[in-house]
Amino acid sequence: MKVAYIDNKPYEIESGETILTFMKRYMGEKPVPTLCDAPNLDPFGSCRVCSVDVALEEGGKTKAMASCHSPISEGMYIQPHTPNIQKLRKNIIELVISDHPLLCLTCEVSGNCELQDVAATVGLRDVRYPEGANHLDTPKDLSHPYMTSDLSKCINCYRCIRACDEVQGEFVLSMGGRGFDTTIIKGLDQSFMDSDCVSCGACSQACPTSAISDIFQSKGVTATDTTRTICTYCGVGCNLEVSTSNGEILSIQAPYDAEVNQGHTCIKGRYAFKFYNHQDRLDSPMIKRNGDFEKVSWDEAYEYIATKLTGYKDEFGSDSIAGISSARCTNEENYLMQKFIRTVIGTNNIDGCARVCHSPTALGMQRTFGTGAATNSIDDLKDTNCIMVIGANPTDAHPVTGAKLKQFAMKADNVSIVIDPRRTELARYATHHLALRPGTNVALLNMMMYYIITENIGDDSFIENRTEGFEAFKEEILNIDIDALEEVTGVDRNQVKASAYAYATAPNAMSFHGLGVTEHSQGTFTVMQIADLALLTGNIGRRGVGVNPLRGQNNVQGSADMGVQPHQGAGYLDVTNDEVNKKYNEFYGVEVPKEIGYKIPEMFDAALEGKLKALWVIGEDIVQTDPNTKKVIKAMEATDLVIVQELFMTETAKYADVILPGASFLEKSGTFTNGERRVQAVRQVVDPIPGSKPDGQIIVDIMNKMGYAQADYTPDGMLEEISQIVPFFAGISWDRLGKNGMQWPVAKDGTETQILHTVDFKRGKGYFEFNAWEETQELVSHAKEFPYILTTNRELEHYNCGAMTRRTANEEILQDDYLMINPDDAVENLINDGDYVCLESPRGKVDVKARITDEVKKGVLSTTFHFPEIMINNLTGDVHDSEAMCPEYKVVAVRLRRSKGKFKQVLADK
Ligand code: SF4
């Protein structure tokens, strides 16, 4: 056993630890004062406050060493608090304080200031130095809607700079000037607002004083409570610590002990919370009478809905009613909604937003592996050598995971492959960027697999032992026409070959994919190819490998797990299977239907055919976010009863007959499941605003009203029920979730699962299936008349329809949708940066502002869809994935011209 000594007592050392971490293991969290050290940053050793005396023999000559970055070694004798060291620390802090405003009483962080604490710990009472040159009149930076700086309080500890570099990877903050003029600068010595700051707040959380802070003063001590919950925006599932006082939310910080986000968030999680009590919140049930919404009581609304639904059920049958549940809601609420539709209404017409995002992922991975969820965890990045990111822009859409992927890509020894038509931020750091033409994923991945097979760099033993269907697959792959595929993809075959080689020969390779894979006519086939690539190279079933879909909304994984799908009930059980049907009937105590229900696009078709009489939509703005807006509106208008359960008067809510005001994630409890199958506790922070109710309770109320005895909504009670019917939730209970949740499948004894398919696949063997590339019908039918390809993308600041983020100060940072257009295309069409461009597709026209950039190739356009004023989905069409019916948002045939903004929408005021 190797030991070192603290105050002459021996303690075992661990390899790789510093003197500080060694002392922490035996002396507690704060063995010595520190300033430049932070839990989520690498050791730095700038402030020297953590210095300790170190000798190499007992009673030997000592040397002061900064403990935070000095490695421990065998036989060291450490004396943390000798008089010499105490004097040194006091002197350091005295020098720091000599250039620091002594305004503790009025400082926002008084009582929670690390400098104040350290000064007290070292016993500093006054400063011996006379007043001299100082930085006390440094002007404040109040330019940004969230971030502020007052560098008169800066102690040059570099924590903010390191957070910007090591956590976010943005490199916006740095140290400028020389000697006494050394100071923190943003960008090219700009303000926060003018710099490239992405407003993640990592610097403000890292700052030990209030030199960098936020407008919510999140390090102030006015909060009376903090509640740990989960972010409502994307599928990363960041943990948040929400501070409150008198039932008001003050600010949000990120807990360092969160396994998902380790003290980090993006702008949305940390700052975009003010929508929760915005004046636009719906605060009463409403029924539309004579074209106007009238406020009614909950009882009246329930009576109205129950009477209408019972009437349709009796007259037209259960299948005349459908429900769309919400990835914004908790697992328990989604479970209840599908239970209501199946048991009370008696139909499988239940679907959710996975239909328009990752339904091809679930289907494709189920076909290849047997399970449609991420195989590994983001933490596996620590043990991989190669990442392949396809059809995803994680630094905007999944920012905390995106920051980790970017950190990976920036390291010299790592290999990263980005397959995306756009030169995304990640693509700029990638070893290989394959900028393919939108709609050719299948062609490109078949080329990669061709090279892996012909170069004989696959994993033969894995193929032999764990897969089936390989010989037939190989035969097809060897027959592909590389010349033709090179031409359609627009990617040099040597680049494809090099990427295939990098992925196949890396000791461990992970893939990540997003909506640029799924929202295509061949979305499911592309997912199957990504899974095939993992089978072909043995990159499955251990740490640091796997297929990892970047799930879009916060609980899109959970809503599908809970049965928000027309073909699978809770736990992905096939509704048409007799055994499953028997199990559901017994469990629910009523007959549940066996026929597969409508998917969302089929609901719209049924409405237009007069077959759908009632549609209940929870937390989903289908008018703004589903393709072919005009068709969706017609479907809404053709449906007798549209019930919308929402926070705000969205574009969809405007077409409702009944509106039910739901509650935001801050006002209710339950669980969300993130993209790595992690079920995490969402804890209520404040009461629902007056007039609204938790969505789960609304569904319970209507179930009871319609004669099904359902207990009141409580997260522990619902989880108890779910654990009895969803096999992979068997061991999940509210009490077991703890701080960091549990990754399913969870066995009855509470054993969770970080990695899937370690020994077998759910379907037994991994299945190879070849699919040839086919041009999308959108281009086959319209490319001649509409020669440009429009694809869609997200922006960091807003989320989907923007109903929440547009009601926060995020709107001050990004106020408009815009169109990315290549400089050559801009010249050809006489378009200048900032001009309005009229985009026209076979479905309609919109006007959007141009941003000229070489992020997109000639012939390709890309735009966001966050603002109802633009309504980009007026352009998108009905082409969808051949297997899962996910709409093809990513390939739209358009033409363009400079315009005056005449077609700038319109529907927002309707
Ligand atoms: Fe929320 Fe996603 Fe941002 Fe995390 S990365 S704070 S989950 S939006």
Side-chain angles (χ1 to χ4, degrees), residues 425-442:
E425 186 180 12
L426 206 55
R428 292 203 287 272
Y429 294 100
T431 323
H432 307 278
H433 173 209
L434 310 183
L436 76 180
R437 191 255 276 171
T440 60
N441 286 332
V442 168

Side-chain angles (χ1 to χ4, degrees), residues 20 23 32-35 45 47-52 65-69 89:
L20 182 61
M23 288 192 297
V32 291
T34 60
L35 271 179
C47 76
R48 323 302 286 185
V49 174
C50 67
S51 293
V52 291
M65 296 175 79
S67 63
C68 69
H69 74 144
R89 288 183 191 141

Side-chain angles (χ1 to χ4, degrees), residues 231-238 240 264-270 397-401 799:
C231 178
T232 192
Y233 290 106
C234 85
V236 174
C238 292
L240 309 176
H264 192 209
T265 70
C266 73
I267 177 177
K268 295 186 283 285
R270 192 185 295 270
H398 303 86
V400 165
T401 295
Y799 207 78

